[in-house]
Amino acid sequence: MIAERNMAHNALKKGGFLLFVLSTTQVLAAPQVNSVTQQSSGGELQLVISGSGFGEKSHPNPLYYFDFDEDSKAQNVQASAVKDSFSTNGTISADSTPYGSGQVLRFTIKQDPSAVAIPGIDFDSDRLYVYFNRRYSFSIADSSNWGSRGFNLKSNRIWGDTGNNIYIGYQGKEGNSSGRIFPEYTAEGGATWVGTNLPQVEGEWTQEEIVYKASDIGVQNGIFDLYHNGNSVHDSVFRMRTSDRPDRYSKLYFDQISNGTNENKTLYIYYDNIYIDDTFQRVYLSNAPTFDEAKERLVQVPLKWSDNSVTVKLKSGNFSPSSSYIYVVDANGDVNKNGARLCQSDCPSPPNPPKGIGFK
């Protein structure tokens, strides 16, 4: 995964049990998952994942987690490592995401370029992992949505204290196919053009992930990987710091329209399951038996974390737990390539059967 890509770029380098057996040879140093046990604590279902190679994690929870349950716009403090309450802009709306029905955040795009759905989130680390679900009520390609100066949407942006920043833009002044990922003021060779590699379909939820690691000063070895619905849409390396702008990025923003919109149209952006952490370590639930196939994957919130055991709050969404798989990602971005299947009582034999093979 991330570690393999880095090498290629010569960059940095209720009471029952859910049991499974994992077969096949794993890549050395990737996390090994030996068993998963279901338990109930305080009325919530948890999974205890046992194995090796998970690494130590300084705080089990992500830095911030927003699920917008209980009509709250603030982060879920119980599930977040940062306990100072942080609230978003917008309103709470009932909606169905790809991972269940519930409450989501609805943000109205404003003419004011300073209006953002989620104010700047501070972090102090050389890396960041961001997962979320997002839906636009409009088509970016429809020029009738634009204001008089175009439609300059920065869907995500990370800033440094010296003004250096990197952003994801669906389109620039060059038109509909000018989407880009651009480290402003520090890039070598200008913008990275991604064009139609940044899919955005009106009215459809997208599962999005950002994997960031700071570059060294003056070196083109920074990571800013972008995934849409489990597919990589960007994975080149960047120079993000220079002698004039040496600071690491430290503040994360979500959608901003710098040039405004058509004032006669109301445009909405929806969000759910926002997970932000300062490490690549994380746990997924998916309905696919291998990670290469796991395009639909729901990040789980860790409650405890050690090198050989991780406890997560089970969030199954629309997945059936009895036919789902667990994946653990370590600090280098390595993951168990074959999922750890959850099943009631004895697992099928052989483990991790191909699709279509049922339970004993």
Side-chain angles (χ1 to χ4, degrees):
M1 205 169 140
I2 302 302
E4 296 171 354
R5 203 293 313 283
N6 293 347
M7 292 176 64
H9 284 284
N10 195 28
L12 294 165
K13 312 249 164 244
K14 271 172 212 214
F17 289 93
L18 294 173
L19 298 175
F20 71 93
V21 179
L22 185 63
S23 68
T24 73
T25 303
Q26 298 285 339
V27 176
L28 187 63
Q32 305 283 329
V33 183
N34 299 325
S35 67
V36 181
T37 303
Q38 178 182 296
Q39 66 182 22
S40 179
S41 177
E44 72 176 16
L45 292 179
Q46 300 175 353
L47 297 180
V48 180
I49 306 162
S50 299
S52 61
F54 304 156
E56 301 296 332
K57 193 173 186 291
S58 59
H59 47 84
N61 302 126
L63 285 180
Y64 293 91
Y65 181 66
F66 300 82
D67 54 18
F68 306 113
D69 292 341
E70 299 176 0
D71 294 320
S72 175
K73 295 192 296 180
Q75 99 267 23
N76 184 331
V77 175
Q78 257 190 333
S80 303
V82 176
K83 299 303 182 184
D84 297 332
S85 184
F86 186 99
S87 188
T88 60
N89 298 320
T91 60
I92 298 298
S93 175
D95 203 348
S96 295
T97 73
Y99 302 111
S101 300
Q103 306 291 342
V104 303
L105 179 72
R106 187 183 75 180
F107 175 70
T108 305
I109 296 177
K110 308 291 186 182
Q111 289 292 316
D112 181 359
S114 65
V116 291
I118 300 173
I121 292 179
D122 294 318
F123 63 97
D124 183 17
S125 61
D126 67 350
R127 63 190 64 196
L128 197 69
Y129 170 73
V130 185
Y131 171 104
F132 56 101
N133 300 128
R134 174 164 50 193
R135 177 168 72 86
Y136 294 105
S137 71
F138 54 92
S139 170
I140 290 171
D142 184 355
S143 61
S144 69
N145 294 319
W146 306 352
S148 59
R149 293 164 52 208
F151 193 57
N152 185 3
L153 169 63
K154 303 294 193 297
S155 61
N156 288 94
R157 196 170 200 165
I158 309 181
W159 286 90
D161 291 340
T162 47
N164 54 323
N165 68 92
I166 191 168
Y167 64 79
I168 304 168
Y170 279 112
Q171 67 179 48
K173 62 184 179 181
E174 294 82 3
N176 290 349
S177 297
S178 60
R180 68 193 71 187
I181 295 174
F182 183 42
E184 198 163 26
Y185 307 119
T186 63
E188 292 181 322
T192 294
W193 299 87
V194 291
T196 56
N197 286 334
L198 289 178
Q200 185 273 322
V201 180
E202 179 179 358
E204 290 188 7
W205 283 96
T206 303
Q207 167 197 288
E208 307 201 34
E209 297 173 85
I210 298 170
V211 178
Y212 151 74
K213 192 179 192 311
S215 75
D216 296 322
I217 295 176
V219 182
Q220 188 172 336
N221 64 355
I223 298 170
F224 197 84
D225 290 352
L226 180 64
Y227 298 85
H228 279 198
N229 295 326
N231 295 301
S232 173
V233 294
H234 183 269
D235 67 354
S236 67
V237 291
F238 291 112
R239 185 179 68 179
M240 302 165 170
R241 305 162 69 198
T242 63
S243 57
D244 292 335
R245 301 176 189 271
D247 291 336
R248 302 180 311 200
Y249 300 143
S250 58
K251 194 179 289 287
L252 168 70
Y253 285 86
F254 288 70
D255 295 271
Q256 179 186 27
I257 304 291
S258 297
N259 290 345
T261 68
N262 183 335
E263 61 184 15
N264 296 318
K265 302 185 75 171
T266 301
L267 309 181
Y268 296 116
I269 307 176
Y270 297 81
Y271 306 85
D272 198 15
N273 298 324
I274 300 175
Y275 180 109
I276 302 166
D277 208 358
D278 57 359
T279 174
F280 296 159
Q281 292 163 290
R282 55 197 186 270
V283 174
Y284 293 115
L285 186 73
S286 179
N287 58 359
T290 69
F291 193 72
D292 286 344
E293 297 175 277
K295 305 306 181 185
E296 294 182 62
R297 50 200 193 214
L298 181 57
V299 70
Q300 305 292 293
V301 176
L303 305 173
K304 298 178 182 179
W305 193 293
S306 71
D307 185 52
N308 57 17
S309 180
V310 176
T311 301
V312 300
K313 178 181 178 180
L314 177 60
K315 187 179 180 73
S316 57
N318 291 336
F319 296 145
S320 169
S322 63
S323 58
S324 296
Y325 299 81
I326 285 290
Y327 296 93
V328 180
V329 182
D330 67 14
N332 294 319
D334 292 319
V335 62
N336 51 301
K337 301 298 184 184
N338 293 287
R341 184 168 183 172
L342 308 182
C343 51
Q344 301 292 337
S345 187
D346 294 332
C347 282
S349 181
N352 287 322
K355 293 179 181 178
I357 297 181
F359 295 107
K360 281 185 174 179

